[in-house]
Amino acid sequence: MKPKAVLFDFDYTLGDSTPGIYDSACYALNKMGHPTPTLEEVRVTIGMSLPKSYAYLTGDADPQRGETYMWTFREKAENDGFMMDSTTLYPHSAALLHRLHEMGIKLGIVSTKRRVTLVEIFTKFNLMDVLSILVGHGDVPEPKPHPGALQLALSKLGVAPEDAVYVGDNIVDAMAAQAANIPFIGVTTGTTAKEELSRYPHLCILNNLSEFPFEV
């Protein structure tokens, strides 16, 4: 069956913003009086909401300080296109998006990045014309794994959950897809192992997007 819509996570699924995320995390944590984290500590948090990333990195679950971290992180990340300039696409991402678009499949991005940042990134790579919907942080009240962002995307596309696929690299993505009753395809281009992704309902787990199945 060819899906009517394919929704993608961004970080570690279609592309890599690690340098910008790491520098922004270090900036925010240092400004709040915390020590500099290692690169691997920050990489594990990519895909989480910023307040959850703060709690993971510091052990401080105070929601107010989580919000402070989020806004301080953005001071760095959104300064003169800093995040956009430090973001790269994976080798197979652009070709896959173009091919799916040519097949008449509606495409969308559902990410914890802000929509304005997603627009900047996909404009940079000349891919805005193949996308039908972008849902980012702030577009729904709750971040993934809450299903609201996926449900909003499908509602705007006019596609039923069973006629769509969500592609992601993190168990947060797998949990969101399960909660929204959307078939899930995992990719191991991030920090989450195949064994972890396999614990959740899935169509398949890919090593990278070159293995994407066009009939699901």
Side-chain angles (χ1 to χ4, degrees):
M1 179 197 78
K2 184 177 78 173
K4 294 180 180 178
V6 179
L7 305 176
F8 291 88
D9 172 52
F10 182 78
D11 286 303
Y12 290 156
T13 299
L14 289 171
D16 188 352
S17 300
T18 300
I21 292 172
Y22 180 66
D23 287 351
S24 300
C26 292
Y27 170 83
L29 290 170
N30 291 166
K31 195 166 182 179
M32 293 176 70
H34 295 286
T36 299
T38 67
L39 176 61
E40 191 55 35
E41 286 172 333
V42 173
R43 286 185 77 240
V44 172
T45 71
I46 294 176
M48 300 179 188
S49 67
L50 289 173
K52 286 184 179 179
S53 297
Y54 172 78
Y56 179 92
L57 291 167
T58 65
D60 181 1
D62 182 87
Q64 189 169 12
R65 284 191 288 274
E67 287 287 313
T68 299
Y69 172 79
M70 179 178 71
W71 290 111
T72 310
F73 179 102
R74 288 180 181 169
E75 284 179 9
K76 177 74 171 179
E78 297 175 7
N79 182 29
D80 294 328
F82 176 75
M83 186 64 69
M84 178 188 67
D85 291 341
S86 64
T87 296
T88 57
L89 283 186
Y90 286 142
H92 307 289
S93 297
L96 175 60
L97 292 175
H98 280 295
R99 183 173 175 187
L100 292 170
H101 178 67
E102 289 165 2
M103 292 171 64
I105 296 172
K106 297 178 180 180
L107 301 177
I109 307 300
V110 177
S111 169
T112 52
K113 274 181 161 42
R114 295 181 73 203
R115 181 152 41 89
V116 64
T117 303
L118 293 170
V119 169
E120 289 176 346
I121 289 170
F122 284 100
T123 299
K124 171 185 175 180
F125 294 108
N126 297 312
L127 289 168
M128 280 298 295
D129 60 334
V130 304
L131 299 173
S132 298
I133 185 73
L134 295 169
V135 178
H137 176 82
D139 291 329
V140 289
E142 297 291 334
K144 295 179 295 184
H146 191 279
L150 289 171
Q151 291 168 337
L152 175 63
L154 290 185
S155 174
K156 288 184 174 293
L157 293 175
V159 175
E162 63 270 19
D163 293 325
V165 172
Y166 186 46
V167 186
D169 70 284
N170 196 292
I171 61 171
V172 171
D173 303 317
M175 293 168 67
Q178 182 179 19
N181 295 312
I182 300 174
F184 177 70
I185 292 177
V187 286
T188 58
T189 41
T191 60
T192 307
K194 181 177 181 178
E195 293 72 23
E196 293 179 74
L197 291 171
S198 297
R199 297 187 186 122
Y200 298 87
H202 60 277
L203 295 172
C204 54
I205 308 295
L206 313 177
N207 293 311
N208 60 65
L209 291 178
S210 71
E211 302 174 350
F212 189 87
F214 294 95
E215 297 289 332
V216 297

